[in-house]
Amino acid sequence: MKRILNLFILILFLSVHAKAQSVSVEATIDSLEILIGEQTKIKLRVLAGSKQKILFPQFPDTLVRGVEVLDTSKPDTVYYNNKERIEIEQDYIITSFDSALYYIPPLEVFIDTIKYESNPLALKVYSMPVDTLNPDQFFGQKIIMKTPFVWSDWYVFILCFVLLAPVIYLIYYLSKRLRDNEPIIRWVKVEPKLPAHETALQEIEKIKGEKIWRQEGRAKEYYTSLTDAIRRYINARFDINATEMITSEIIEHLKQVEDKEALKDLNELLQTADLVKFAKYDPLMNEKDASLVNAIGFINETKKELTPEELAAPTEIKVVEKRSLKTKIFLGGGILLFSISLIALVIYIVKQLLLFIA
């Protein structure tokens, strides 16, 4: 029984020893001698079983005193024997700024929590050779040289400032349009010129279609719309600024160009409208109908057809678009974002100019 136990221990020891023999850790260095500030590379190579856990050493910034680690590469892995064996290489870029002979101790690698060490290395760092026998070869500091002015160096900045002028004007234009609730692009619709009486009759037909006079409490609104249409007709037909005149002034001016019989119905209409607007008079339904008839009758009695030359002249009608609150917020946000971007661009250009001048 004791012999069997000793045999088992021997087999276990041999298996562990064989496993340990299967691990290889080797370190090499590209150059054993460098000048101050030059760089060289240490290559750490580990050969082990593919199922073993391998932990490479990590150096934050210093390998040994006087030798700095600049960078650590990613492990390079190669498999052998149907992926039963694995070889991993990792590079460490090192440098030194002190001339000396440095001893680099073995690098420690942990494999399945067992520590393995590589072979030690050495690094010789030389200082720059100085010819002390010929001091006349040493020169003092050079004076500061001013950069000559070249227009080609300023083309980009000049172009930026030239482009800023229309951009600033565009921001002002958009802001003003947004504030005044006007369209950014004015659409102009050209239509043939209509006679004054046709325009007035179209306005009255629109008033008839709305049927304001049949609604209770809207007499003032009805008479205001009706008299405004008549006043604009008088202005266009007789070249009398009726929109700025009171009833008596309109009648007096019209007496000079029209007979009194044609002005009788107009005078009645305007006086009734004054009573409604200023004396809160509430006319009957037949009075409202009569006012509408009087307005149409006055236009038909005083209308004047346009000559062929006047009909050929087009009339420009500007179409004004009203924006919703959502559209205003969207445009305002866009203008604000664009302005901030422009300011940032100007600051950047100014900084670059100052750096260039300095």
Side-chain angles (χ1 to χ4, degrees):
M1 183 67 182
K2 186 176 180 181
R3 184 178 297 177
I4 296 175
L5 181 61
N6 292 334
L7 182 61
F8 177 76
I9 293 173
L10 179 61
I11 293 173
L12 181 63
F13 173 78
L14 291 175
S15 62
V16 172
H17 181 71
K19 185 177 181 181
Q21 290 296 327
S22 65
V23 175
S24 172
V25 178
E26 181 186 5
T28 58
I29 187 168
D30 284 357
S31 178
L32 296 175
E33 299 178 351
I34 62 172
L35 291 174
I36 288 179
E38 286 187 339
Q39 300 176 8
T40 187
K41 180 168 58 176
I42 292 178
K43 186 183 295 292
L44 183 59
R45 174 179 169 273
V46 176
L47 182 63
S50 60
K51 296 183 179 180
Q52 292 180 287
K53 185 178 180 181
I54 303 173
L55 183 61
F56 278 79
Q58 300 295 324
F59 305 101
D61 53 10
T62 304
L63 182 60
V64 294
R65 185 176 180 180
V67 179
E68 300 180 6
V69 178
L70 302 179
D71 188 25
T72 302
S73 68
K74 293 183 179 180
D76 184 16
T77 304
V78 179
Y79 289 95
Y80 298 103
N81 299 336
N82 294 325
K83 295 189 176 181
E84 292 182 0
R85 303 285 292 168
I86 187 172
E87 181 182 274
I88 303 178
E89 290 186 357
Q90 191 165 28
D91 297 336
Y92 302 89
I93 308 299
I94 61 173
T95 188
S96 178
F97 296 96
D98 291 321
S99 59
L101 176 61
Y102 294 98
Y103 170 74
I104 301 175
L107 305 180
E108 298 178 350
V109 178
F110 286 87
I111 302 176
D112 290 338
T113 69
I114 301 175
K115 182 174 73 173
Y116 294 86
E117 293 183 349
S118 70
N119 52 293
L121 299 171
L123 177 66
K124 177 64 177 178
V125 180
Y126 292 95
S127 61
M128 293 294 297
V130 179
D131 187 3
T132 57
L133 299 177
N134 298 299
D136 56 324
Q137 295 182 359
F138 296 93
F139 301 96
Q141 294 180 341
K142 296 289 185 179
I143 61 173
I144 299 175
M145 298 180 63
K146 292 186 177 180
T147 306
F149 181 83
V150 181
W151 276 108
S152 59
D153 296 336
W154 293 82
Y155 286 162
V156 176
F157 303 106
I158 294 173
L159 179 62
C160 290
F161 278 107
V162 169
L163 293 176
L164 282 179
V167 170
I168 293 174
Y169 174 76
L170 178 62
I171 293 176
Y172 167 77
Y173 176 81
L174 294 176
S175 302
K176 187 174 183 301
R177 290 289 177 188
L178 184 63
R179 182 193 63 193
D180 298 338
N181 197 27
E182 295 183 358
I184 296 177
I185 300 176
R186 291 184 176 181
W187 297 96
V188 178
K189 183 179 180 182
V190 180
E191 293 183 348
K193 189 174 182 179
L194 294 176
H197 66 276
E198 290 188 16
T199 304
L201 290 175
Q202 287 180 0
E203 293 183 26
I204 292 176
E205 284 297 324
K206 182 178 179 181
I207 295 171
K208 286 174 62 178
E210 294 174 351
K211 298 182 180 180
I212 300 176
W213 79 93
R214 296 185 181 276
Q215 301 177 21
E216 190 69 24
R218 301 188 66 181
K220 182 177 180 180
E221 182 181 351
Y222 164 66
Y223 274 96
T224 300
S225 301
L226 189 60
T227 53
D228 285 348
I230 293 298
R231 289 171 184 270
R232 285 191 290 270
Y233 167 72
I234 295 173
N235 192 358
R237 168 65 178 83
F238 299 103
D239 198 18
I240 297 174
N241 191 12
T243 55
E244 303 294 334
M245 296 180 182
I246 60 177
T247 300
S248 58
E249 292 176 339
I250 295 173
I251 299 300
E252 286 299 323
H253 280 79
L254 286 175
K255 285 181 179 179
Q256 301 175 12
V257 293
E258 285 291 335
D259 58 276
K260 296 181 180 180
E261 189 65 27
L263 301 177
K264 182 177 179 181
D265 293 338
L266 176 64
N267 188 31
E268 181 181 347
L269 166 61
L270 295 177
Q271 287 182 353
T272 303
D274 290 342
L275 290 174
V276 173
K277 288 188 287 186
F278 303 113
K280 297 183 179 181
Y281 173 66
D282 187 14
L284 299 175
M285 186 60 66
N286 59 346
E287 291 181 280
K288 298 177 184 178
D289 293 338
S291 297
L292 188 63
V293 173
N294 290 339
I296 296 174
F298 171 73
I299 293 172
N300 288 329
E301 290 180 12
T302 59
K303 67 181 180 180
K304 177 185 176 183
E305 298 293 342
L306 295 178
T307 62
E309 292 78 11
E310 292 174 331
L311 287 172
T315 302
E316 290 186 334
I317 301 176
K318 293 181 180 179
V319 181
V320 180
E321 301 173 358
K322 300 295 181 180
R323 296 190 190 91
S324 63
L325 179 61
K326 183 178 179 180
T327 306
K328 282 178 133 181
I329 294 175
F330 177 76
L331 289 175
I335 294 173
L336 179 62
L337 182 62
F338 186 73
S339 302
I340 294 174
S341 302
L342 179 63
I343 293 172
L345 177 62
V346 171
I347 294 174
Y348 173 77
I349 292 175
V350 171
K351 283 186 176 180
Q352 293 300 318
L353 283 174
L354 292 176
L355 291 174
F356 183 80
I357 295 173

